[in-house]
Structure formats: structure tokens, C-alpha cells
Amino acid sequence: MPDKLSDGERAPLQAELEHLRQEHRDLDAAIDALLHLGTVDQLQIQRLKKRKLSLRDRVAFIEDQLTPDIIA
């Protein structure tokens, strides 16, 4: 991507970033709820955690795109 994003390019990235952050929070809550139920499906927990990690990676990528490079 170019060094400087236009407002037209920045807005969709920020919207996607907020959506991904919300989904990450929702997965965190779902994992906690499943763990507190007592009878835990470990495979389901692992799948949710894997999805949560992929969301975190995507959030980091988008944040890097939105943050300008500063040469020190």
C-alpha cells in the first residue's frame, strides 16, 4: 500500500478494524461462557481460540496499514 492513505481508503479499513475488534471481544466472551458451563467441548474451545488468534493477526495487519511509518 502507498505510504499515505486517502480518506476513501482509510474509512473502510477503520470500519473493518472495528468489526474485527468486536468479533474478537465476542469470541472472548463466548470462550469464557463455555468454560464456566462446566461441560466443556475442548474441540469447540480450540476452534474458537484459533479463530480469535486469526482475528488478532488481521487486526494487527490493518493497524499497521493505518499507522504511518515513522523513520527515526
Side-chain angles (χ1 to χ4, degrees):
M1 277 199 148
D3 289 340
K4 197 167 192 172
L5 296 173
S6 69
D7 289 340
E9 296 168 328
R10 185 173 289 277
L13 285 175
Q14 288 175 328
E16 182 181 0
L17 183 61
E18 186 53 40
H19 173 77
L20 292 172
R21 286 178 176 160
Q22 181 62 48
E23 188 176 348
H24 189 271
R25 287 189 297 266
D26 291 346
L27 280 173
D28 199 30
I31 291 168
D32 285 343
L34 286 173
L35 290 174
H36 286 103
L37 283 177
T39 57
V40 179
D41 180 1
Q42 289 298 324
L43 184 58
Q44 184 179 14
I45 298 290
Q46 287 302 105
R47 286 180 180 151
L48 291 174
K49 286 182 176 181
K50 187 173 182 178
R51 173 69 180 148
K52 193 174 151 188
L53 284 173
S54 71
L55 287 173
R56 186 183 70 185
D57 290 344
R58 181 69 181 153
V59 165
F61 176 78
I62 292 174
E63 286 174 340
D64 286 346
Q65 297 298 310
L66 292 172
T67 305
D69 291 336
I70 299 173
I71 299 173

